[in-house]
Amino acid sequence: MSDRTASEGRGGARGGMRGALGEALFARVAGPQGPENRRRIHQTPGPRWFAPDRPVRRVHGDASMFVGGLAALLLQSLHPLAMAAVAEHSGFRGDPWGRLARTSTFLAVTTFGTADDARQAVDQVRAIHGRVRGTTPDGTPYRADDPRLLAWVHIAEVASFLAAHQRFGARPLGPAGCDGYLADTARVAEALGAQDPPRDRAALAARLRDYRPELRATPEARETVRYLLRHPPLPWPARPPYALLAANAVGLLPPWARAELGLRRPGGVAEPWLVRPGGHLVTGTIRWAMGPGREAAARGPQP
C-alpha cells in the first residue's frame, strides 16, 4: 500500500468517524425531525430576523451552547414559579430529549430561520404558555405567560449562553458584540411577551440583582439538579464527557447560585487547571464533529 493510499484511508476513517459522531450528536439534540427542520431553517429563502453578521448567530451556532444550555437549566431552577411550571407541565423527566429537541429547534428557527417561521414558532410557544398555569406547593399561583416570569427564563438563558460562549466559544465576542447579542435576543424575548428584557451587559447585571430576592432552591429545584448532574438520561459511554460539560456548567453559575443549590465550585482551587481544560476539550470535540459547515451560518464580521 502506498503512503498516499494509506493516508487517504486514514483520512477517510477520520472523516467517517467525524461524520458519524456529528450525526449522532445532531440526532440527539435535534430529534427525529432534525434533518427536515435543518433544511427548512437554513434553505428556505426569505428575510430573517437577524442578518448573518449578528452576534446572536455566532453564539447560538457555537458548540459552547452545550455548556450554556445546561447552566441555564440550573440557573432557571432557582425561581420557584418557573421550577413549578417545569416540574408540573414540561415533561422533562419523562421525555428529556423531546424537550431538548423542541428547545433547540425553537432557538434555531428564531436565530437562523425565515421571519415567517420565527413568528410562527413564537406564536406556538405563546399558545402553549397560555395554557400552563397552576399553584406551587406553598399555594402561590403561577402562569407561564406571566411577563416577569418569562423575563427570568430569558435572563437566565442569555446570561448562561453568553458566559459559556465567552469562555468556550471558538471566537469570543468583544464588548460591543456582547451587548449586541443581548440586544438581538431581546427581540425574541419581547415577541414571547417577556417584560423589559436587557439589551446590554449593564442591564443584564441589574436585572439579575433585581431577581435575587425571588430566587431560592426549592425541593423540586434540588431534585432537578440531582437529575441533571448525577443521573442524566445517557448511556454509560457518554457520561464522562457529559460530566465535564456539567462541571463546567456549574462553574459558570454565579457563586450565590451555586451556594443556593448546594453545589461547590468544581475542582475547588484547582478548577481552572483541571475542569476548564476538559470543557475546552469536549466543546472542541463537539465543534470538530459537527463540522465547520454547520457553524458557518453563525460566522461573519463581528463588532
Side-chain angles (χ1 to χ4, degrees):
M1 180 183 294
S2 69
D3 290 342
R4 178 179 178 182
T5 302
S7 176
E8 289 175 350
R10 288 192 296 270
R14 287 194 297 269
M17 180 176 65
R18 178 180 186 175
L21 179 57
E23 288 302 323
L25 285 168
F26 180 75
R28 180 63 77 178
V29 172
Q33 301 302 315
E36 178 183 342
N37 288 332
R38 181 169 56 190
R39 286 190 295 271
R40 174 172 57 86
I41 291 167
H42 294 286
Q43 297 179 18
T44 303
R48 264 70 176 163
W49 278 1
F50 304 108
D53 64 345
R54 291 306 303 166
V56 68
R57 286 190 164 222
R58 184 191 293 191
V59 175
H60 291 177
D62 190 85
S64 59
M65 288 287 285
F66 282 77
V67 181
L70 185 53
L73 292 175
L74 298 174
L75 188 57
Q76 287 169 349
S77 74
L78 284 170
H79 199 296
L81 302 186
M83 190 64 250
V86 168
E88 295 183 21
H89 298 276
S90 76
F92 80 98
R93 292 292 292 269
D95 183 23
W97 298 114
R99 183 170 185 253
L100 176 61
R102 292 188 292 272
T103 301
S104 64
T105 299
F106 177 82
L107 283 170
V109 170
T110 52
T111 303
F112 302 104
T114 65
D116 287 344
D117 273 357
R119 169 52 63 184
Q120 184 178 4
V122 165
D123 290 344
Q124 290 173 346
V125 170
R126 293 193 69 150
I128 293 170
H129 285 168
R131 300 191 295 268
V132 174
R133 54 193 64 225
T135 305
T136 65
D138 67 3
T140 304
Y142 67 81
R143 55 188 182 90
D145 58 0
D146 175 2
R148 183 167 175 80
L149 193 58
L150 286 168
W152 165 249
V153 172
H154 169 73
I155 288 166
E157 283 186 351
V158 296
S160 301
F161 295 166
L162 186 57
H165 184 79
Q166 294 304 96
R167 182 169 295 181
F168 298 110
R171 296 190 305 146
L173 296 164
C178 291
D179 288 344
Y181 170 72
L182 295 172
D184 289 345
T185 55
R187 175 176 184 174
V188 181
E190 280 194 326
L192 285 169
Q195 178 187 71
D196 190 24
R199 288 172 167 77
D200 57 39
R201 288 164 297 158
L204 176 62
R207 294 301 301 280
L208 282 168
R209 289 193 299 268
D210 179 50
Y211 276 94
R212 282 286 301 279
E214 302 173 36
L215 306 178
R216 59 187 175 86
T218 61
E220 293 80 9
R222 291 182 181 274
E223 177 59 28
T224 296
V225 168
R226 283 192 293 270
Y227 176 72
L228 291 172
L229 300 184
R230 300 178 188 173
H231 308 290
L234 290 167
W236 285 106
R239 293 198 176 193
Y242 179 86
L244 283 172
L245 291 178
N248 280 283
V250 171
L252 286 178
L253 295 176
W256 57 264
R258 288 199 299 269
E260 186 67 35
L261 290 169
L263 300 171
R264 64 183 181 87
R265 188 176 181 86
V269 295
E271 183 271 339
W273 305 104
L274 297 177
V275 175
R276 194 176 298 185
H280 283 286
L281 175 63
V282 175
T283 53
T285 301
I286 293 171
R287 189 175 295 117
W288 169 81
M290 299 298 283
R294 294 183 186 173
E295 292 190 335
R299 298 182 179 177
Q302 295 286 337

